[in-house]
């Protein structure tokens, strides 16, 4: 029962993340780089900081924790956050060229697999005495493979969509639709985004141990990773502000209240996935397999819900019945991948 509760909490977080790009459509008169960094302030700084504070017991401080933890682990956690930030930038571009459904599917699928496998592999390089590779059991590998199969099936549906729709229909669903370009960017985004889980692995012990409830223990590391990602994103966006002469966006006082509210909502929804991941893992401690696969499960569910949004937003409008059936088959496989390892 606890495992089911944990998976349900992770699923709720995934649904929130998949919904986080909907409020962005309500942002007015701002360029992409402006609203991206403003929502990033909430998604990668404000809400992660609030979440990390929940992991701090009475009489202690977050800064005390960071000062006393292993400096190598702290800086590696932030470093992989910086690398993840590159994935976040290209992640946004993948949806620009492929749409919410297909862009998230390919990027998050790659992220799910690599994020799950790269963590133990890299930890084994630095800390072989901990035997982190033992976490990659047959059940875990099967779960990752099934997830990749589901992603591949959805990718096939995207290819079918690309080949069947006219240019006008593609532009109607996704303004800048470009499957080859979007595919390349989505794969890069997925590879770099997988660094998020690697950062969490390096920061797994950055908490107050037994003084921190199990459901909150990954939140300080989550903050460090998102701070690293924020650094990457803020540099890129400020450069784009200069290149596109979009500094004037920040002076448009008439839209600030509206845009701030929707950026804050987008940031809260985005952060919910990792808040939910932390809470959910607190209920999965009895299953080492699900603990190792939790990040992969989160990404798989993100894909499921992003495709639900894709259907709602009519990104698959005009596609053949075979294409829709292929899409739904991929979604079902991803749902099965979340529970299959527990049944093996």
């Amino acid at each position: 029962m606890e495992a089911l509760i944990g998976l349900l909490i992770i699923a709720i977080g995934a649904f929130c993340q998949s919904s986080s790009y909907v409020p962005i459509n309500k942002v007015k008169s701002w360029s992409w780089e402006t609203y991206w960094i403003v929502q990033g302030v909430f998604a990668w700084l404000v809400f992660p900081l609030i979440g990390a504070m929940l992991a701090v017991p009475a009489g202690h401080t977050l800064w005390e924790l960071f000062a006393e933890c292993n400096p190598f682990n702290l800086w590696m956690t932030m470093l992989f956050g910086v690398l993840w930030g590159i994935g976040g930038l290209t992640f946004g571009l993948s949806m620009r060229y492929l749409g919410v459904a297909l862009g998230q599917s390919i990027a998050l699928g790659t992220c799910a697999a690599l994020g799950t496998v790269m963590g133990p592999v890299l930890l084994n390089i630095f800390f072989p005495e901990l035997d982190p590779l033992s976490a990659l059991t047959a059940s875990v590998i099967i779960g990752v493979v099934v997830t990749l199969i589901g992603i591949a099936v959805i990718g096939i549906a995207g290819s079918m969509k690309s080949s069947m729709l006219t240019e006008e229909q593609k532009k109607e669903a996704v303004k800048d639709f470009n499957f080859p370009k979007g595919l390349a960017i989505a794969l890069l985004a997925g590879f770099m985004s997988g660094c998020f889980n690697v950062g969490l692995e390096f920061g797994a012990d950055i908490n107050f141990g037994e003084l921190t409830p199990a459901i909150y223990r990954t939140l300080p590391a989550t903050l460090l990773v998102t701070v690293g990602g924020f650094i990457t994103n803020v540099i890129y966006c400020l450069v784009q502000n200069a290149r596109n002469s979009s500094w004037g966006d920040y002076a448009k006082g008439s839209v600030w209240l509206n845009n701030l509210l929707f950026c804050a909502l987008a940031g809260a929804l985005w952060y919910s996935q990792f808040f939910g991941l932390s809470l959910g893992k607190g209920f999965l401690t009895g299953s080492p397999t699900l603990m190792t696969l939790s990040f992969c499960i989160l990404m798989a569910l993100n894909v499921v819900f992003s495709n639900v949004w894709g259907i709602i937003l009519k990104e698959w409008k005009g596609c053949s019945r075979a294409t829709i059936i292929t899409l739904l088959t991929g979604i079902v496989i991803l749902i099965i991948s979340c529970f299959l390892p527990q049944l093996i």
Side-chain angles (χ1 to χ4, degrees), residues 50-70:
I50 294 173
M53 294 297 292
L54 295 174
V56 180
H60 297 273
T61 68
L62 192 60
W63 317 120
E64 171 193 341
L65 171 64
F66 293 152
E68 295 180 355
C69 73
N70 184 326

Side-chain angles (χ1 to χ4, degrees), residues 231-275:
I231 293 171
T232 306
N233 280 264
V234 74
I235 292 173
Y236 178 81
C237 289
L238 292 178
V239 168
Q240 290 301 111
N241 278 141
R243 178 177 298 173
N244 299 327
S245 300
S246 54
W247 294 110
D249 290 347
Y250 301 106
K252 296 176 181 177
S254 60
V255 300
W256 257 102
L257 180 59
N258 173 85
N259 292 357
L260 200 64
L261 287 174
F262 283 111
C263 283
L265 177 58
L269 289 172
W270 183 91
Y271 176 66
S272 295
Q273 64 179 314
F274 293 111
F275 187 74

Side-chain angles (χ1 to χ4, degrees), residues 15 62-63 69 94 113 125 140 143 170 173 182 237 275 311 316 327 331 342:
F15 175 77
L62 192 60
W63 317 120
C69 73
S94 71
I125 294 174
V140 170
K170 293 175 186 177
C237 289
F275 187 74
I311 293 172
W316 296 90
L327 171 66
I331 291 175
Q342 188 70 0

Side-chain angles (χ1 to χ4, degrees), residues 150-299:
I151 298 301
V153 172
I154 291 177
I156 291 172
S159 180
M160 294 168 66
K161 169 187 175 181
S162 176
S163 63
M164 295 187 64
L165 296 183
T166 65
E167 288 301 317
E168 290 73 18
Q169 288 174 316
K170 293 175 186 177
K171 300 301 182 182
E172 181 182 353
V174 181
K175 183 179 178 181
D176 298 316
F177 187 83
N178 186 318
F179 186 71
K181 186 175 183 178
L183 177 62
I185 293 174
L187 290 173
L188 174 62
F191 178 79
M192 300 306 293
S193 294
C195 292
F196 196 107
N197 195 46
V198 179
L200 292 183
E201 292 285 350
F202 274 99
D205 294 328
I206 302 179
N207 54 64
F208 286 95
E210 294 300 322
L211 295 178
T212 300
I215 58 176
Y216 299 142
R217 285 179 188 164
T218 66
L219 294 178
T222 300
L223 171 62
L224 292 173
V225 175
T226 57
V227 167
F230 180 78
I231 293 171
T232 306
N233 280 264
V234 74
I235 292 173
Y236 178 81
C237 289
L238 292 178
V239 168
Q240 290 301 111
N241 278 141
R243 178 177 298 173
N244 299 327
S245 300
S246 54
W247 294 110
D249 290 347
Y250 301 106
K252 296 176 181 177
S254 60
V255 300
W256 257 102
L257 180 59
N258 173 85
N259 292 357
L260 200 64
L261 287 174
F262 283 111
C263 283
L265 177 58
L269 289 172
W270 183 91
Y271 176 66
S272 295
Q273 64 179 314
F274 293 111
F275 187 74
L277 177 65
S278 182
L279 268 59
K281 288 175 72 172
F283 290 91
L284 301 179
T285 53
S287 173
T289 297
L290 287 180
M291 282 288 286
T292 302
L293 272 174
S294 57
F295 183 80
C296 186
I297 291 172
L298 173 64
M299 295 300 111

Side-chain angles (χ1 to χ4, degrees), residues 121-142:
V121 170
L122 290 176
L123 281 175
N124 188 69
I125 294 174
F126 293 100
F127 307 106
E129 69 279 5
L130 300 178
D131 191 24
L133 289 180
S134 63
L136 298 179
T137 62
S139 296
V140 170
I141 298 301
I142 290 173

Side-chain angles (χ1 to χ4, degrees), residues 21 25 95-96 98-105 158 161-162 165 169-175 177 306-319 323-324 327:
Y21 293 92
N25 293 326
M95 286 183 292
R96 174 181 175 181
L98 296 177
V100 172
L102 189 55
Q104 288 206 54
S105 297
K161 169 187 175 181
S162 176
L165 296 183
Q169 288 174 316
K170 293 175 186 177
K171 300 301 182 182
E172 181 182 353
V174 181
K175 183 179 178 181
F177 187 83
S306 67
N307 277 284
V308 171
W309 274 114
I311 293 172
I312 293 173
L313 296 174
K314 299 180 179 180
E315 292 180 357
W316 296 90
K317 181 181 178 181
C319 293
T323 301
I324 299 302
L327 171 66

